Amino acid sequence: MAVERIYLDWNATAPLLGAARDAMLDALAMPGNPSSVHAEGRAARAVIEKARRDVAGLVGAEPAHLTFTASATEAANHVLSPVYRMGKSRVAIGRLYVSAIEHPAIRAGGRFPADRVTEIPVLRSGVIDLDALAATLASHDVAEGLPLVAVMLVNNETGIVQPIRDVSAIVKKFGGLLVVDAVQAVGRMPVSIGELGADFLILSAHKLGGPKGVGALVSTGETLMPEPLVRGGGQEKGHRAGTENLAAIAGFGAAARVMAADLVERNAMIAALRDRAEAGMRAAAPDTVVYGEGSERVGNTSFFHLPGLKAETGQIAFDLEGIALSAGAACSSGKVGASHVLTAMGEDATTGALRLSIGPSTTEADIDRFVLTFAKIAARRKLAGKAA
């Protein structure tokens, strides 16, 4: 008899919401091109603009300041550009500064050559070193162009929340622009581009229950924008060429509407489940290490290590028991390696860690089964140690 599976890897991708699926199916039945002026085209355009309003509303932005992309990675490559435009004038960006715990899409530097990307360290707590950021920006050569800083709001592995308002104050002091990867934050905590002080936010639909293959770049205005990455037609006000993915965008908008409702209450319940899991792990194996537990975290994520257990071994063991979780971030085609996030935090990353990430449909029964499985795996570790 097959074991009923439990999905605890929401940070990799969230299950598609029913509302998003329905919106996508409706959009797939629409024949019009959103750029066409006839009735069918206008109907398709209306779907896109409604989705734009809903997604923008989730982060307190103006709909006109949101550009749909094919992914958050594309949005990152779009905004991480050494050339911006203010109207017809060219504005040079001299250097890109990224925190040491950024997602690989940011750490790759976008369109900047490697020698124009500088890494900012984080403290052992997993929080960006604000003093190091200020000292680094103080030495920036303004003759080369403006500084561009990229710091994520929530780390995808640890769930640690970064002090973006403080980061913004430093960046503005030195005349820079701030890009914030909000992929793991949206839908899991209140997010406002204005309150954060960010110039740009990067979003992804499939992290909050929308479809894979659609993201967005959100700005505070359109006065200063990066040069387009995808050129051609005039779609998305010329910021991103190509006929829009109507079905995916419709799904994105529907997911945003669902996740905007009861956000604080929903995530309080999710955090209680995460805490239940961590308490259970500690009861089964007191030597369990939970990374970032002393820092502010979103409530759905736990990045943990069981001494003596390699991450890939643990991931396989849970999978065989019918539980899906991950060994770090799901961004390397299934490859399990040392976590650059743990390395940046000064932790021993050689054996890796496991990430539990949950969502609105996770239940107490799911968490209790996870804890029982964890206890079983921990006991095997002890038996293996005695046998050795």
Side-chain angles (χ1 to χ4, degrees):
M1 182 176 176
V3 177
E4 183 178 355
R5 293 192 61 81
I6 297 175
Y7 187 74
L8 305 177
D9 196 17
W10 289 62
N11 284 11
T13 193
L16 186 68
L17 290 167
R21 182 184 299 108
D22 292 344
M24 294 175 71
L25 289 173
D26 288 344
L28 285 170
M30 302 180 76
N33 185 314
S35 296
S36 298
V37 297
H38 48 58
E40 289 81 0
R42 295 197 305 274
R45 173 56 54 191
V47 169
I48 289 177
E49 296 313 316
K50 177 171 175 47
R52 197 186 309 278
R53 291 191 297 273
D54 290 329
V55 177
L58 195 55
V59 295
E62 292 293 329
H65 299 160
L66 185 146
T67 300
F68 285 115
T69 62
S71 64
T73 295
E74 184 191 303
N77 279 270
H78 179 193
V79 74
L80 301 183
S81 169
V83 179
Y84 274 58
R85 293 284 175 181
M86 184 178 288
K88 294 183 178 180
S89 300
R90 182 181 186 276
V91 178
I93 306 296
R95 180 167 288 273
L96 172 65
Y97 301 90
V98 303
S99 85
I101 58 169
E102 295 301 302
H103 187 279
I106 300 293
R107 295 180 78 218
R111 290 181 271 179
F112 283 87
D115 62 357
R116 289 174 62 188
V117 179
T118 297
E119 188 173 271
I120 306 298
V122 298
L123 303 173
R124 197 171 185 91
S125 62
V127 174
I128 187 170
D129 187 333
L130 294 172
D131 291 337
L133 173 63
T136 301
L137 291 182
S139 64
H140 174 79
D141 185 358
V142 293
E144 294 180 350
L146 300 176
L148 180 65
V149 179
V151 180
M152 62 192 351
L153 178 51
V154 171
N155 183 259
N156 50 309
E157 293 190 10
T158 63
I160 293 173
V161 179
Q162 298 299 312
I164 297 299
R165 293 182 186 86
D166 296 332
V167 170
S168 175
I170 294 170
V171 173
K172 300 310 174 188
K173 176 181 177 181
F174 293 101
L177 298 173
L178 177 60
V179 175
V180 174
D181 171 359
V183 166
Q184 297 290 353
V186 173
R188 295 171 185 158
M189 62 181 288
V191 176
S192 166
I193 187 170
E195 290 181 9
L196 289 172
D199 294 290
F200 297 94
L201 294 183
I202 296 171
L203 310 179
S204 176
H206 76 100
K207 304 296 187 179
L208 53 85
K212 304 171 185 70
V214 60
L217 178 67
V218 185
S219 65
T220 53
E222 293 184 285
T223 302
L224 185 62
M225 291 292 290
E227 282 200 331
L229 175 68
V230 181
R231 301 172 183 272
Q235 294 88 351
E236 297 298 292
K237 296 184 178 180
H239 298 308
R240 201 279 182 182
T243 300
E244 298 92 341
N245 186 339
L246 182 64
I249 290 172
F252 196 176
R257 288 194 297 277
V258 171
M259 298 306 284
D262 303 318
L263 187 149
V264 174
E265 296 82 358
R266 180 180 66 248
N267 285 299
M269 291 187 288
I270 291 172
L273 291 176
R274 191 273 311 277
D275 293 345
R276 183 186 184 101
E278 291 183 348
M281 288 191 287
R282 283 275 163 66
D287 58 342
T288 300
V289 178
V290 177
Y291 296 107
E293 63 179 336
S295 302
E296 181 184 358
R297 293 181 292 165
V298 285
N300 83 312
T301 304
S302 180
F303 198 40
F304 63 92
H305 172 58
L306 188 59
L309 180 71
K310 290 185 177 181
E312 58 265 38
T313 302
Q315 184 179 27
I316 292 169
F318 275 104
D319 193 44
L320 290 173
E321 294 286 342
I323 297 176
L325 43 72
S326 70
C331 55
S332 302
S333 300
K335 179 181 178 182
V336 177
S339 164
H340 74 278
V341 174
L342 292 183
T343 299
M345 292 170 62
E347 302 285 356
D348 180 5
T350 55
T351 57
L354 294 171
R355 183 184 66 188
L356 166 81
S357 53
I358 59 180
S361 63
T362 305
T363 65
E364 286 189 356
D366 294 337
I367 296 301
D368 291 344
R369 186 170 140 197
F370 162 79
V371 170
L372 286 173
T373 303
F374 176 89
K376 185 189 300 185
I377 292 170
R380 288 181 200 154
R381 173 196 59 158
K382 293 177 181 178
L383 290 173
K386 290 179 180 179

